[in-house]
Each structure stands twice: as C-alpha cells, then as structure tokens.
Amino acid sequence: QVQVQESGPGLVKPSETLSLTCTVSGGSMNTYYWSWIRQPPGKGLEWIGYIYYSGSTDYNPSLESRVTISGDTSKNQFSLKLRSVTGADTAVYYCARVYTNYSYRYVDVWGTGTTVTVSS
Amino acid sequence: EIVLTQSPGTLSLSPGARATLSCRASQSVRSNYLVWYLQKPGQAPRLLIYATSNRATGVPDRFSGSGSETDFTLTISRLEPEDFAMYYCQQYDRSPWTFGHGTKVEIK
C-alpha cells in the first residue's frame, strides 16, 4: 500500500525559504500527479501545486511566483520550496498522491501533514 | 479560477438525522472532476466521493453524492457519531484545482 510522508523544518524565519520533502513508499511515482496542499490553522484547504511523474508542474496562481515543486523518481521523492515566507504561510502542509485516468481525478493517498510555523 | 461555495458553513444536526451539504461552482464543472472529502480534527482529509457520485472504497452507503454543472450535493442519509466532521468539495476540472471552504457538521 502506497504511503507518503512529509519531512522538513517545522520552523522557518520570515523572508526565508520553506523546504519540504515528500517520500513515497510502497509504490512507484509513475502515472500519478504528486501534489502539495496546505491548511492554515483553523482554516480550509489550499491547493499549492503538483508535479506529474513526467516532470510537468502546475501551481496555484496565488503562490506561483514563490513556489517550486520538483521530483526525483529515482529516490521516490518530491519536494516543495516556497520562497519569501511570511506568517500567512504558517500551515499544516500535506503531500498527496492524485490518482488520475481518462475519467477521474482525486487524491487517494494523503500524508499525515507537517506543521510549519513562520516566525523569527 | 473556479470558486466553490459550500453551504451552509455549519450544520447542526442530531445523530440519525439527514444531512444535505451544498457545493456551488462559479463555472460549470465536469461531473467526473468533482470530489468530496471528510476531515476530522488533527487528521488529513479522507476521500469520500469522487466523480460526483462514486463512493470511495470503504465508504458507507449512507453517503451519496449528486449534481451537475454548477450545483453539487453530498447527502448523509442518517448521521452516525463518526460523521460529525468537516466536509470539503474540490474540483479538478480546471487549473487551479480549488477547494470549497468547507461545511462543518456538528452535533446539535
């Protein structure tokens, strides 16, 4: 059974870069989208972006100028970098697998989430 | 960007009651790409319904989804204690993939 797990610093200083890695275990990264989603404290879910197994990416326009998602299929990992962070970027960050075929698309595997606080 | 508006924001009901949650889209969404998730405090969301009306594996049949174009509904026929949680709709039809702000189903 495929699992994904986030890792990275829980505390980032304002104006610095938030860096998280998601490790995929129990399966291949092939044929899926791999996504980052975040949830500020007490708020709803926000889609950050994805990387397709082929390497193509797509980002939420609200974050696009600051975000990069990259992948390394040989290591079964993908990563998130969010630059110039502020307190508004404090959130639980989830990595997730997006199942897709010609008919459907949905997140079928979620990480447990990692809390990132932006503070000096 | 497709904006999803969920209503009501909070639904206060008793166990055994029927819950009807709405998700309205600012533009038409192909039904294959409308999904519902459930989230409990401190946990990651969990897939409930995909493609508007298909229950995910292991989801009880008291959960059902319906709708088309801009109006979608999640119905819980008889609320069980474990159903009191947050519910989110999401669309994957057009980038950016967007979530609704959620409906909280709480015990009355």
Side-chain angles (χ1 to χ4, degrees):
Chain A
Q1 184 175 353
V2 172
Q3 294 183 314
V4 295
Q5 182 63 58
E6 309 86 354
S7 60
L11 182 65
V12 182
K13 290 183 168 54
S15 80
E16 295 191 344
T17 297
L18 179 160
S19 296
L20 296 175
T21 297
C22 183
T23 300
V24 180
S25 60
S28 166
M29 293 185 68
N30 289 342
T31 74
Y32 292 97
Y33 292 92
W34 301 90
S35 191
W36 288 96
I37 296 158
R38 70 180 184 178
Q39 186 169 35
K43 296 189 177 181
L45 301 163
E46 180 180 30
W47 176 69
I48 298 171
Y50 69 69
I51 183 166
Y52 195 37
Y53 77 101
S54 62
S56 63
T57 55
D58 193 17
Y59 303 124
N60 191 322
S62 67
L63 298 168
E64 188 166 17
S65 63
R66 299 192 291 131
V67 70
T68 301
I69 297 176
S70 58
D72 187 338
T73 54
S74 67
K75 293 183 178 179
N76 259 21
Q77 292 180 331
F78 63 106
S79 299
L80 169 70
K81 290 192 185 299
L82 183 63
R83 297 174 289 278
S84 305
V85 297
T86 69
D89 296 308
T90 293
V92 175
Y93 285 77
Y94 295 101
C95 64
R97 185 180 82 171
V98 180
Y99 172 84
T100 188
N101 64 17
Y102 294 111
S103 299
Y104 310 128
R105 193 170 290 161
Y106 49 82
V107 171
D108 64 342
V109 179
W110 292 82
T112 55
T114 188
T115 299
V116 179
T117 301
V118 177
S119 175
S120 55
Chain B
E1 172 176 324
I2 296 178
V3 176
L4 299 178
T5 301
Q6 290 189 242
S7 61
T10 302
L11 199 50
S12 299
L13 294 168
S14 301
R18 180 184 185 89
T20 303
L21 287 68
S22 172
C23 176
R24 288 194 168 173
S26 60
Q27 305 170 42
S28 184
V29 173
R30 287 176 289 175
S31 59
N32 283 4
Y33 298 114
L34 194 287
V35 172
W36 290 91
Y37 299 100
L38 171 155
Q39 186 179 35
K40 296 182 179 180
Q43 296 183 15
R46 176 167 73 98
L47 179 68
L48 277 180
I49 300 284
Y50 65 94
T52 296
S53 59
N54 295 269
R55 281 187 297 276
T57 302
V59 174
D61 60 8
R62 64 180 180 272
F63 290 92
S64 62
S66 62
S68 64
E69 298 189 341
T70 59
D71 288 313
F72 298 90
T73 301
L74 175 69
T75 301
I76 311 170
S77 59
R78 288 179 56 84
L79 284 164
E80 298 287 340
E82 61 268 28
D83 300 337
F84 292 93
M86 283 293 294
Y87 292 82
Y88 295 96
C89 58
Q90 187 191 14
Q91 66 82 22
Y92 291 90
D93 191 0
R94 296 179 203 173
S95 177
W97 297 341
T98 47
F99 291 92
H101 287 102
T103 291
K104 181 180 182 180
V105 178
E106 65 176 23
I107 299 176
K108 186 174 182 180

